[in-house]
Amino acid sequence: MAVPRPPAFISRQVVDGRYYFGELTPPPDTPVAVACAGCEDCAADYRMVRRYFRYHALEFIDNGQWRLRMAERTVVLGPGSVFAYGPAGGYRLEALGGSPLRKYFVDFSGRQAGQLMRRHGIPGDRPVSLHQPARMREV
């Protein structure tokens, strides 16, 4: 049985990836839907540049060191860092080193997705560090 090719927005710079694909294109009246989620062990030369992304996304850095450029700001991320982005803004993420270079993500769609993230304190313009990153891994 052939394995379907992942959508084009999934990076090809992944050594090992595990994914869930849900409603990639939900009906327009859908409040919130999980489009996809995944865990990626990334290649040492991983680099993602997004000028636009159709979903609202949340990424959790589990391991490694990364450079994130977002909203004219550049920061170095390490384990426990979380950042969000969406249709309103782009970003650039580059692996700096570490092993494995692992990150998790979840992408949301729907007419209330952005509002829901803001209401729950998920900033869309700057990363935050979790006080208990092991709990996020468990989730």
Side-chain angles (χ1 to χ4, degrees):
M1 181 167 133
V3 176
R5 183 179 175 96
F9 62 82
I10 297 294
S11 174
R12 304 298 186 250
Q13 301 169 30
V14 173
V15 176
D16 184 31
R18 293 164 304 285
Y19 303 100
Y20 162 80
F21 297 103
E23 289 286 332
L24 294 177
T25 309
D29 62 339
T30 302
V32 176
V34 173
C36 65
C39 173
E40 298 177 323
D41 288 339
C42 300
D45 61 347
Y46 181 94
R47 181 176 159 210
M48 175 61 71
V49 178
R50 292 198 194 277
R51 288 176 178 72
Y52 169 83
F53 193 58
R54 70 183 284 188
Y55 304 111
H56 293 273
L58 184 64
E59 298 219 12
F60 167 66
I61 302 298
D62 184 38
N63 209 340
Q65 295 293 311
W66 305 76
R67 180 181 304 123
L68 173 69
R69 180 164 176 81
M70 174 182 282
E72 303 304 318
R73 181 179 319 161
T74 301
V75 295
V76 173
L77 306 177
S81 298
V82 175
F83 67 99
Y85 56 94
Y91 75 96
R92 177 183 181 145
L93 181 67
E94 297 175 275
L96 296 177
S99 182
L101 290 160
R102 181 174 296 134
K103 64 187 188 70
Y104 294 84
F105 69 90
V106 62
D107 298 336
F108 300 93
S109 60
R111 59 184 169 75
Q112 295 177 3
Q115 176 186 354
L116 181 67
M117 290 176 72
R118 286 187 300 277
R119 187 176 344 142
H120 289 283
I122 300 170
D125 62 346
R126 61 182 166 75
V128 296
S129 293
L130 299 179
H131 295 287
Q132 297 179 333
R135 297 196 74 187
M136 179 65 100
R137 268 184 228 104
E138 293 172 9
V139 172

